[in-house]
Amino acid sequence: MPRRSARPQPDRTVDLPTHTRDCPACGRVLWAANKPRRTVVTLDGLVQLRLQVRSCRNPECPRHRACLRPEQEGRFALPQHEFGLDVVALVGVLRHAEHRSIPEIHAELVRRGVPICARSVGNLLDRYDELLALSCSDVERLKAVTAKAGRVVLAIDGLQPDVGHEVLWVIRDVLSGEVLLARSLLSSSQDDLAKLLGAVKGALPTPIVGVVSDGQASIRKAVAQPLDGVPHQLCHFHYLREAALPVYEADRHAKVQLKKKVRGIRPIERKIEGRQDPEAESIRGYCAAVRSALTDDGRPPLEASGLKLRDRLAKVADSLDRVGAKRGSRRN
């Protein structure tokens, strides 16, 4: 879809010179070829980069007329991209850490003042996955990171952006927090996951002392192949969710029963339609409080929505009792 509005003007300008003055091939002085301008969209606004590009004028040099761009350009954005690396990183965090959809990520970026369309969000998510896979391929860096603790505790989980698409399997070290491997698979079979765990085990000299994952059967069987004898347990969230399942069911049933007792707010609101006296305004406020309590759900297992509804309705009932007591004392 073509752009329907003009691009916003850059908020600031940054000059990026080329620090390399001599040709790396022949050693002669590089000439200033041109000074292009490039606009990058960052979380702090639009930045205009004024670049100093140099090239070698030696006809006998193998790098003759090859452009050498500023070294600092790479810390702002990827080549031929208009969005900065900070925007790419935020898209990845919102997707893989907070599990937000592409429309939700687009809405969050727009809220932060980033001019972007929904299709570009999907493209940036692909760039993030590529950068993540590239960082995970540096075996020497991962060896140095995991060697500090002397042991590795693996955490494995699969992330599926959309139903029917490939699943991004991520294996990370719990102690250091580093991602050891990230790879997309069309299937999540036992053999495919066992190959991923085997690749991590073969690349790390540090011993693996434990594995943390959810209760998926294919993961449990895959861990038993290359990591036979290594302790394997559920993650804290899944463990707590399974343990709290009976409590959650009882809380959900109690919430349904509470909702049955407080339904009928709309008929009360209709009786006071058109009235602007203080009593009508007070009734509208109480009705809004009850409606808000009914629609505000908790997040099990840490927040019981039934108990939250009970507490809020109890506060509304106590307030009504205090108002009734005050009115009764005035009449006396």
Side-chain angles (χ1 to χ4, degrees):
M1 181 180 295
R3 186 186 296 272
R4 297 182 179 272
S5 59
R7 180 193 296 272
Q9 294 298 320
D11 302 323
R12 55 193 176 97
T13 302
V14 178
D15 294 325
L16 297 181
T18 304
H19 297 293
T20 303
R21 298 302 180 90
D22 298 330
C23 179
C26 65
R28 293 192 179 184
V29 178
L30 296 174
W31 287 58
N34 54 7
K35 291 185 177 182
R37 298 186 179 185
R38 178 184 180 186
T39 301
V40 178
V41 180
T42 67
L43 296 178
D44 298 329
L46 274 70
V47 180
Q48 186 182 69
L49 304 179
R50 294 194 297 190
L51 313 174
Q52 185 185 52
V53 180
R54 296 181 177 273
S55 63
C56 182
R57 298 297 179 89
N58 183 11
E60 300 178 356
C61 179
R63 293 183 54 86
H64 178 56
R65 294 189 180 276
C67 293
L68 185 65
R69 303 177 71 87
E71 295 82 356
Q72 297 182 358
E73 183 184 6
R75 72 181 182 89
F76 284 92
L78 295 173
Q80 302 179 358
H81 280 68
E82 64 173 322
F83 295 97
L85 292 176
D86 54 349
V87 179
V88 178
L90 178 61
V91 169
V93 170
L94 293 176
R95 183 57 173 175
H96 298 306
E98 301 185 12
H99 307 286
R100 299 195 189 185
S101 63
I102 289 182
E104 291 174 341
I105 298 175
H106 176 254
E108 175 64 19
L109 292 175
V110 172
R111 186 188 69 81
R112 291 174 177 244
V114 179
I116 188 174
C117 63
R119 184 177 62 180
S120 297
V121 174
N123 295 336
L124 294 182
L125 184 59
D126 294 337
R127 302 292 82 76
Y128 178 86
D129 294 338
E130 293 171 357
L131 292 174
L132 180 62
L134 182 61
S135 66
C136 295
S137 62
D138 190 354
V139 180
E140 296 299 327
R141 182 185 68 86
L142 297 178
K143 289 181 180 180
V145 171
T146 55
K148 295 180 180 179
R151 63 189 186 279
V152 175
V153 178
L154 297 182
I156 179 172
D157 194 9
L159 307 173
Q160 189 174 23
D162 297 301
V163 178
H165 289 68
E166 296 180 346
V167 179
L168 176 63
W169 286 96
V170 179
I171 302 177
R172 67 181 182 90
D173 178 25
V174 177
L175 300 179
S176 64
E178 289 289 335
V179 176
L180 304 179
L181 186 143
R183 188 174 301 171
S184 296
L185 298 177
L186 287 174
S187 64
S188 301
S189 63
Q190 172 184 341
D191 295 334
D192 293 337
L193 297 180
K195 292 179 181 179
L196 296 183
L197 294 170
V200 173
K201 179 183 178 181
L204 297 178
T206 311
I208 300 175
V209 298
V211 181
V212 180
S213 70
D214 57 17
Q216 189 172 337
S218 59
I219 298 180
R220 296 199 305 267
K221 295 179 181 179
V223 171
Q225 292 185 10
L227 302 176
D228 188 18
V230 176
H232 182 198
Q233 70 175 35
L234 291 177
C235 69
H236 291 193
F237 173 78
H238 291 88
Y239 181 83
L240 180 60
R241 185 182 64 180
E242 295 297 330
L245 185 60
V247 179
Y248 166 72
E249 293 295 337
D251 179 78
R252 185 175 62 86
H253 178 71
K255 184 178 180 180
V256 173
Q257 299 302 320
L258 285 173
K259 283 186 175 182
K260 291 181 179 180
K261 295 182 178 181
V262 295
R263 294 191 184 276
I265 301 176
R266 186 55 183 164
I268 299 176
E269 292 176 333
R270 288 175 178 173
K271 292 180 180 180
I272 59 173
E273 286 183 353
R275 293 175 51 183
Q276 302 297 330
D277 54 285
E279 183 180 6
E281 294 295 333
S282 179
I283 294 175
R284 291 192 186 94
Y286 280 109
C287 291
V290 174
R291 193 183 301 278
S292 176
L294 293 175
T295 57
D296 189 8
D297 294 331
R299 307 189 72 174
L302 299 179
E303 296 181 4
S305 58
L307 293 178
K308 180 186 291 187
L309 176 60
R310 177 188 176 279
D311 293 340
R312 294 192 173 185
L313 292 179
K315 292 180 180 179
V316 173
D318 293 342
S319 178
L320 288 172
D321 293 340
R322 290 193 299 268
V323 172
K326 289 181 180 179
R327 293 188 62 180
S329 61
R330 290 178 183 176
R331 292 176 180 177
N332 295 334

mmCIF file of all heavy atoms in Angstrom, residues 17 28 32-33 62 82 103 137 148 190 203 208 212 246 271 288 292 320:
data_model
loop_
_atom_site.group_PDB
_atom_site.id
_atom_site.type_symbol
_atom_site.label_atom_id
_atom_site.label_comp_id
_atom_site.label_asym_id
_atom_site.label_seq_id
_atom_site.Cartn_x
_atom_site.Cartn_y
_atom_site.Cartn_z
ATOM 1 N N PRO A 17 31.124 10.859 10.295
ATOM 2 C CA PRO A 17 32.305 10.841 9.418
ATOM 3 C C PRO A 17 32.863 9.428 9.280
ATOM 4 O O PRO A 17 32.571 8.534 10.078
ATOM 5 C CB PRO A 17 33.292 11.756 10.144
ATOM 6 C CG PRO A 17 32.928 11.592 11.587
ATOM 7 C CD PRO A 17 31.442 11.383 11.642
ATOM 8 N N ARG A 28 46.537 3.757 0.007
ATOM 9 C CA ARG A 28 46.484 5.156 -0.398
ATOM 10 C C ARG A 28 45.350 5.886 0.317
ATOM 11 O O ARG A 28 44.437 5.266 0.869
ATOM 12 C CB ARG A 28 46.311 5.262 -1.910
ATOM 13 C CG ARG A 28 47.522 4.773 -2.710
ATOM 14 C CD ARG A 28 47.405 5.181 -4.164
ATOM 15 N NE ARG A 28 48.566 4.745 -4.927
ATOM 16 C CZ ARG A 28 48.756 5.032 -6.214
ATOM 17 N NH1 ARG A 28 47.834 5.760 -6.885
ATOM 18 N NH2 ARG A 28 49.831 4.597 -6.841
ATOM 19 N N ALA A 32 36.950 11.676 -0.558
ATOM 20 C CA ALA A 32 35.545 11.878 -0.177
ATOM 21 C C ALA A 32 34.677 11.784 -1.426
ATOM 22 O O ALA A 32 34.729 12.646 -2.300
ATOM 23 C CB ALA A 32 35.369 13.228 0.503
ATOM 24 N N ALA A 33 33.883 10.712 -1.514
ATOM 25 C CA ALA A 33 33.077 10.473 -2.715
ATOM 26 C C ALA A 33 31.803 11.317 -2.713
ATOM 27 O O ALA A 33 31.578 12.133 -3.604
ATOM 28 C CB ALA A 33 32.734 8.992 -2.834
ATOM 29 N N PRO A 62 42.268 -3.241 -6.081
ATOM 30 C CA PRO A 62 41.081 -4.120 -6.214
ATOM 31 C C PRO A 62 39.817 -3.500 -5.630
ATOM 32 O O PRO A 62 38.716 -3.944 -5.967
ATOM 33 C CB PRO A 62 41.496 -5.386 -5.453
ATOM 34 C CG PRO A 62 42.576 -4.952 -4.520
ATOM 35 C CD PRO A 62 43.309 -3.839 -5.233
ATOM 36 N N GLU A 82 14.737 1.652 7.200
ATOM 37 C CA GLU A 82 14.392 2.980 7.689
ATOM 38 C C GLU A 82 14.090 3.010 9.178
ATOM 39 O O GLU A 82 13.975 4.082 9.754
ATOM 40 C CB GLU A 82 13.175 3.519 6.928
ATOM 41 C CG GLU A 82 11.894 2.707 7.132
ATOM 42 C CD GLU A 82 10.685 3.376 6.501
ATOM 43 O OE1 GLU A 82 10.602 4.613 6.558
ATOM 44 O OE2 GLU A 82 9.836 2.643 5.946
ATOM 45 N N PRO A 103 -1.096 -6.738 15.349
ATOM 46 C CA PRO A 103 -1.900 -5.512 15.542
ATOM 47 C C PRO A 103 -1.654 -4.851 16.893
ATOM 48 O O PRO A 103 -1.639 -3.617 16.981
ATOM 49 C CB PRO A 103 -3.342 -6.019 15.418
ATOM 50 C CG PRO A 103 -3.248 -7.236 14.571
ATOM 51 C CD PRO A 103 -1.957 -7.876 14.967
ATOM 52 N N SER A 137 24.441 -18.203 16.798
ATOM 53 C CA SER A 137 25.421 -19.012 16.073
ATOM 54 C C SER A 137 26.849 -18.750 16.513
ATOM 55 O O SER A 137 27.765 -19.452 16.087
ATOM 56 C CB SER A 137 25.290 -18.745 14.566
ATOM 57 O OG SER A 137 25.570 -17.375 14.265
ATOM 58 N N LYS A 148 31.011 -19.065 33.078
ATOM 59 C CA LYS A 148 31.116 -18.299 34.325
ATOM 60 C C LYS A 148 30.443 -19.029 35.485
ATOM 61 O O LYS A 148 30.962 -19.061 36.597
ATOM 62 C CB LYS A 148 30.502 -16.921 34.137
ATOM 63 C CG LYS A 148 31.242 -16.048 33.143
ATOM 64 C CD LYS A 148 30.572 -14.693 33.011
ATOM 65 C CE LYS A 148 31.322 -13.818 32.023
ATOM 66 N NZ LYS A 148 30.678 -12.485 31.848
ATOM 67 N N GLN A 190 9.186 -35.436 18.500
ATOM 68 C CA GLN A 190 10.181 -35.794 19.501
ATOM 69 C C GLN A 190 11.590 -35.799 18.908
ATOM 70 O O GLN A 190 12.532 -35.289 19.513
ATOM 71 C CB GLN A 190 9.836 -37.165 20.065
ATOM 72 C CG GLN A 190 10.882 -37.767 20.977
ATOM 73 C CD GLN A 190 10.515 -39.167 21.410
ATOM 74 O OE1 GLN A 190 9.346 -39.560 21.316
ATOM 75 N NE2 GLN A 190 11.487 -39.926 21.864
ATOM 76 N N ALA A 203 27.657 -28.353 21.535
ATOM 77 C CA ALA A 203 28.380 -27.088 21.362
ATOM 78 C C ALA A 203 28.924 -26.535 22.663
ATOM 79 O O ALA A 203 29.826 -25.690 22.640
ATOM 80 C CB ALA A 203 27.461 -26.058 20.710
ATOM 81 N N ILE A 208 25.384 -29.796 31.541
ATOM 82 C CA ILE A 208 23.979 -29.440 31.691
ATOM 83 C C ILE A 208 23.437 -30.191 32.902
ATOM 84 O O ILE A 208 23.422 -31.431 32.925
ATOM 85 C CB ILE A 208 23.188 -29.790 30.420
ATOM 86 C CG1 ILE A 208 23.754 -29.041 29.214
ATOM 87 C CG2 ILE A 208 21.704 -29.471 30.602
ATOM 88 C CD1 ILE A 208 23.115 -29.426 27.888
ATOM 89 N N VAL A 212 14.222 -27.181 32.225
ATOM 90 C CA VAL A 212 12.934 -26.641 32.648
ATOM 91 C C VAL A 212 12.075 -26.438 31.402
ATOM 92 O O VAL A 212 12.540 -25.855 30.409
ATOM 93 C CB VAL A 212 13.105 -25.314 33.403
ATOM 94 C CG1 VAL A 212 11.743 -24.765 33.825
ATOM 95 C CG2 VAL A 212 13.998 -25.495 34.621
ATOM 96 N N PRO A 246 -7.777 -26.824 40.773
ATOM 97 C CA PRO A 246 -9.015 -26.986 41.564
ATOM 98 C C PRO A 246 -9.498 -25.685 42.194
ATOM 99 O O PRO A 246 -10.707 -25.412 42.231
ATOM 100 C CB PRO A 246 -8.616 -28.012 42.630
ATOM 101 C CG PRO A 246 -7.444 -28.733 42.072
ATOM 102 C CD PRO A 246 -6.706 -27.712 41.272
ATOM 103 N N LYS A 271 -34.701 3.613 34.888
ATOM 104 C CA LYS A 271 -35.650 4.334 35.739
ATOM 105 C C LYS A 271 -35.211 5.767 36.021
ATOM 106 O O LYS A 271 -36.046 6.635 36.304
ATOM 107 C CB LYS A 271 -35.838 3.583 37.064
ATOM 108 C CG LYS A 271 -36.560 2.244 36.908
ATOM 109 C CD LYS A 271 -36.716 1.565 38.261
ATOM 110 C CE LYS A 271 -37.424 0.229 38.121
ATOM 111 N NZ LYS A 271 -37.589 -0.461 39.429
ATOM 112 N N ALA A 288 -22.245 2.128 37.764
ATOM 113 C CA ALA A 288 -20.976 2.050 37.042
ATOM 114 C C ALA A 288 -19.939 1.256 37.830
ATOM 115 O O ALA A 288 -19.144 0.500 37.253
ATOM 116 C CB ALA A 288 -20.456 3.457 36.755
ATOM 117 N N SER A 292 -18.256 -2.152 36.451
ATOM 118 C CA SER A 292 -16.795 -2.274 36.366
ATOM 119 C C SER A 292 -16.293 -3.507 37.106
ATOM 120 O O SER A 292 -15.383 -4.197 36.645
ATOM 121 C CB SER A 292 -16.132 -1.015 36.936
ATOM 122 O OG SER A 292 -14.729 -1.141 36.951
ATOM 123 N N LEU A 320 -23.188 1.528 50.292
ATOM 124 C CA LEU A 320 -24.642 1.727 50.289
ATOM 125 C C LEU A 320 -25.201 1.680 51.705
ATOM 126 O O LEU A 320 -26.115 2.454 52.043
ATOM 127 C CB LEU A 320 -25.299 0.655 49.409
ATOM 128 C CG LEU A 320 -25.096 0.794 47.895
ATOM 129 C CD1 LEU A 320 -25.636 -0.438 47.172
ATOM 130 C CD2 LEU A 320 -25.795 2.053 47.377
#
